[in-house]
Amino acid sequence: MMAARLATRRYLQQRRGDAYVDASFSVMVADPRAKALGLTAVLQYKGRVLDAMADSVALLRRSVDPKDLALFDELAAVAQQLSTLTFRGPGNLSVSAYRERLDTLAREQERLEGEISARSTAFRQAVAPITLEGVRQRLPADAALVEWFRFHPFDPKMKDEKTQWGAPRYVAYVLRREGDLSAIDLGAAQDIDKLVSDFRVALSDPARSSYKEVAQKLFGKLINPLQSSLSGINRLFQSPDGALNLLPFAALMDEHGEYVAQRFELTYLTSGRDLLSLATPATTRGSPVVMADPDYGQSTSGPPRDIGLYRSSDLDRSGLVFTPLAGTAAEAKALQRLLKLGAQELLTGADATEEKLKGLHGPRILHVATHGFFLSDQQVAAGALQPVSFGTETPPLPAGENPLLRSGLALAGANARRSGESDDGILTAAEAAQLDLRGTQLVVLSACETGLGQVEEGEGVYGLRRALVLAGAQAQLVSLWKVADSQTQGLMVDYYQRLLKGEGRSAALREAQRAMIANPATRHPYYWAAFAPIGDWTPLVAKRVGQQE
């Protein structure tokens, strides 16, 4: 929620400098107390905005006060109007009238979020102290937390304030259930960020083998320095920062050609602090729900582009048209058999609507197979966002646009930008944050780029993955690039088969990935490394009391 985020940011601006100083000393001073101080500062700093936002939403949903519930309903309605208007375009409105309406809705959303923040104790919870030992005790014996942190090193010997702060670097803290804490300076952030960017480009084409060189360079930069601290470790809880939020660690490769996915089970966290909240997940409430193969409808903005082989599309200045995905229909049928879904639990075609998705309350599993998108082409220039074309006009979006409007999923009616009376067929991350996923053990977004978003230092990724945390999901599986339709179908079926056998939510993905690595046809990480498991890593629990498995 924007108001809670802004309030917490003011607090974090004060804490950021302290975290940078403590991180600097933790890698400069060979003293266990300095390392502990550095990691504690990072744990108390990273992801605080998300905590404040999620706590506010959770408190409001649990409230029995009719005023609180009405406030939440009003906020959800405004978020929907803002998202719908943004993606439908101006219609009969002039550019100035369209811009004014967007600004009005954005101000109303901020006002409502301010009221919600004021009525909750979320901010006080967000700044509560976190202890290193508390996090340590939540780690399994064979696991390690790797807390990555991008910081500006502080040099107290320099008297000039400008020269006291150096160019950004990365540090990795490795915390185990037993043993000493490690703090490893990994080098200049600029070099690592460039390698991450090169790696993502190299992985985008399964016909290219150049990714191996970059994969080994990144392994040397990020994993090799940690080797002595990871002896005997089988599972890694990764809390990335900066560009590392978009890095598929599973695809990094050592000098012998072995992938990280073959060596470790990986789970992503916003902060190592997440281990505290994941220890007491909410009770599951409903049955599994699969939404797939939506009827996107006929486009009103021109002929479709050739995007049918991928579960994504880019909103650019030529507009956007979604084409059917054959793999999602087959995927839905396979999951229907595996999960034993009833008619009300499998939503396809014209039934795969925003309204039905928004009407769900804590499904045990939520699986959505469709086109996903991330608006990477929107750039901030001269203080204003560049507009997205809707085929006729290119109205400017309001400055300070909510980053959760830049990513989303295409559902029934998306091509016509109309689904029912008020929905447009496009579920933005801003709308997804209003879903009721309390008690949902797993959300799988079987689509492209659902793990992308606007990366903010110390705060993670503003996109669908953040929205799902706000909505209350215990764990999620999201993608970091455009995934191929047919291969994704196979990966998902294998993943669910393993889940139903009792494998953990992260372990099942690792084993499905290892099976694809063993197959020459899908060995390239383009096919298997895109999906990242976030949140609770343990096996799914049984259905609520009174239900049969």
Side-chain angles (χ1 to χ4, degrees), residues 204-215:
S204 65
D205 183 358
R208 296 171 59 178
S209 61
S210 59
Y211 74 90
K212 293 182 180 180
E213 180 182 354
V214 189

Side-chain angles (χ1 to χ4, degrees), residues 283-341:
T283 304
T284 187
R285 299 159 66 195
S287 300
V289 173
V290 171
M291 180 172 283
D293 190 28
D295 180 359
Y296 303 117
Q298 294 297 314
S299 169
T300 60
S301 61
R305 287 176 287 143
D306 185 16
I307 58 173
L309 296 178
Y310 302 95
R311 296 192 179 187
S312 79
S313 190
D314 296 322
L315 273 180
D316 58 26
R317 297 185 186 282
S318 64
L320 174 66
V321 176
F322 298 101
T323 57
L325 291 165
T328 63
E331 188 174 306
K333 291 179 181 179
L335 294 183
Q336 183 181 26
R337 293 191 296 269
L338 286 172
L339 300 174
K340 301 176 182 178
L341 302 177

Side-chain angles (χ1 to χ4, degrees), residues 102-438:
L102 287 174
D103 288 343
T104 299
L105 286 170
R107 288 194 298 269
E108 179 64 7
Q109 181 175 353
E110 186 171 356
R111 181 189 68 79
L112 291 169
E113 290 172 344
E115 285 192 38
I116 291 172
S117 180
R119 294 175 71 90
S120 75
T121 58
F123 182 69
R124 289 196 297 276
Q125 292 179 357
V127 297
I130 301 295
T131 66
L132 200 59
E133 284 306 309
V135 174
R136 186 193 292 270
Q137 292 307 310
R138 298 298 184 187
L139 285 167
D142 66 340
L145 167 67
V146 182
E147 190 78 47
W148 311 90
F149 188 50
R150 192 179 193 273
F151 72 106
H152 288 262
F154 175 75
D155 186 352
K157 298 179 181 178
M158 305 299 293
K159 296 182 179 180
D160 185 354
E161 184 177 352
K162 292 183 178 180
T163 58
Q164 283 183 328
W165 302 99
R169 303 177 70 83
Y170 279 106
V171 59
Y173 296 95
V174 181
L175 182 68
R176 304 169 55 133
R177 182 71 175 265
E178 304 289 343
D180 295 334
L181 165 67
S182 299
I184 302 102
D185 186 345
L186 301 172
Q190 181 179 2
D191 297 339
I192 294 174
D193 292 348
K194 177 62 166 57
L195 284 173
V196 171
S197 177
D198 292 344
F199 191 42
R200 288 177 51 79
V201 171
L203 290 177
S204 65
D205 183 358
R208 296 171 59 178
S209 61
S210 59
Y211 74 90
K212 293 182 180 180
E213 180 182 354
V214 189
Q216 291 179 339
K217 286 182 179 179
L218 277 169
F219 186 95
K221 288 273 189 182
L222 299 177
I223 305 298
N224 200 52
L226 315 184
Q227 296 279 35
S228 61
S229 302
L230 299 178
S231 176
I233 294 297
N234 299 312
R235 288 185 273 181
L236 294 183
F237 295 99
Q238 304 253 87
S239 173
D241 197 17
L244 302 184
N245 280 290
L246 306 181
L247 174 65
F249 281 89
L252 301 188
M253 179 186 290
D254 67 15
E255 66 275 16
H256 304 296
E258 184 180 44
Y259 292 105
V260 167
Q262 296 172 286
R263 186 181 300 189
F264 300 108
E265 174 191 314
L266 301 178
T267 300
Y268 290 77
L269 307 171
T270 302
S271 163
R273 192 175 60 255
D274 293 353
L275 293 169
L276 300 176
S277 59
L278 291 174
T280 54
T283 304
T284 187
R285 299 159 66 195
S287 300
V289 173
V290 171
M291 180 172 283
D293 190 28
D295 180 359
Y296 303 117
Q298 294 297 314
S299 169
T300 60
S301 61
R305 287 176 287 143
D306 185 16
I307 58 173
L309 296 178
Y310 302 95
R311 296 192 179 187
S312 79
S313 190
D314 296 322
L315 273 180
D316 58 26
R317 297 185 186 282
S318 64
L320 174 66
V321 176
F322 298 101
T323 57
L325 291 165
T328 63
E331 188 174 306
K333 291 179 181 179
L335 294 183
Q336 183 181 26
R337 293 191 296 269
L338 286 172
L339 300 174
K340 301 176 182 178
L341 302 177
Q344 302 301 314
E345 297 160 353
L346 178 64
L347 304 173
T348 61
D351 289 328
T353 64
E354 275 190 86
E355 181 181 8
K356 291 191 175 182
L357 183 54
K358 292 174 179 176
L360 298 176
H361 296 285
R364 182 189 182 208
I365 297 171
L366 175 60
H367 183 98
V368 183
T370 183
H371 285 293
F373 65 84
F374 168 58
L375 306 186
S376 57
D377 59 318
Q378 281 189 329
Q379 302 293 330
V380 177
L385 289 166
Q386 296 299 310
V388 173
S389 171
F390 293 91
T392 55
E393 298 181 83
T394 56
L397 293 173
E401 176 212 27
N402 184 348
L404 295 183
L405 289 173
R406 295 190 180 189
S407 55
L409 301 169
L411 301 173
N415 283 339
R417 302 292 191 270
R418 183 168 297 279
S419 176
E421 294 184 0
S422 57
D423 292 321
D424 61 354
I426 295 178
L427 184 83
T428 65
E431 293 173 292
Q434 313 300 327
L435 298 176
D436 181 9
L437 300 181
R438 292 170 298 159

